[in-house]
Amino acid sequence: MDRMKGMRLLAVVMLGVLWFGCALAEKTSPAERANVPSGSWIWIDIHQKSLTLYQGTEVQKIYPIATPSPIGVYTITHRFAGELGGFGTRFLGLNVPWGQFGIHGPNKPGSIGSNASHGCFRMRVKDSEELYGLVG
């Protein structure tokens, strides 16, 4: 079955400090605290500068990212593959209502792990390619 059919993939972007602190205090993961569905979804921790792919409450993969980026709960609404210039080779577009934001590879790989983004979630190109394949 095509992985995109029937799959609801969410990108959850919260202030990592608040959610991370609560999760540690209660010895539960962000996924368990959020009462998530059994499908795939993404948790982005801005404070830790990490993107975590979940299947239900189980961690599938953790990637380092560059931020800052919009805070909220979004869905992946469009996907592009190929040579995208400054966006690497893959782009997962999010339904942020006030602009064009997404998850992509950078034109400056040294920016990963820093506050260098202009709104998107930057990943290493190879990581963005892997994530692209895992969510679609």
Side-chain angles (χ1 to χ4, degrees):
M1 179 175 159
D2 181 11
R3 292 178 63 135
M4 284 300 286
K5 290 181 182 172
M7 181 174 70
R8 185 174 145 187
L9 184 66
L10 300 176
V12 181
V13 184
M14 298 290 177
L15 289 174
V17 171
L18 299 175
W19 279 67
F20 188 72
C22 292
L24 284 177
E26 296 185 22
K27 305 277 192 244
T28 58
S29 72
E32 292 165 327
R33 291 188 37 74
N35 194 23
V36 299
S38 60
S40 297
W41 64 285
I42 294 170
W43 171 268
I44 295 175
D45 188 321
I46 292 175
H47 176 69
Q48 296 293 319
K49 294 180 185 36
S50 66
L51 181 153
T52 304
L53 175 64
Y54 283 89
Q55 179 69 32
T57 59
E58 189 173 319
V59 173
Q60 301 297 303
K61 188 81 180 204
I62 300 174
Y63 303 97
I65 61 170
T67 60
S69 303
I71 296 171
V73 177
Y74 308 104
T75 56
I76 294 172
T77 57
H78 51 284
R79 304 161 41 94
F80 300 103
E83 182 51 51
L84 303 171
F87 297 104
T89 59
R90 303 292 184 273
F91 185 88
L92 296 169
L94 304 174
N95 67 335
V96 178
W98 59 86
Q100 298 283 327
F101 297 97
I103 302 167
H104 64 81
N107 58 353
K108 298 179 182 174
S111 68
I112 304 303
S114 69
N115 286 327
S117 173
H118 294 104
C120 288
F121 302 99
R122 293 183 188 175
M123 303 176 72
R124 293 182 188 114
V125 171
K126 68 178 181 75
D127 290 346
S128 68
E129 292 171 346
E130 181 178 77
L131 180 66
Y132 188 94
L134 292 172
V135 300

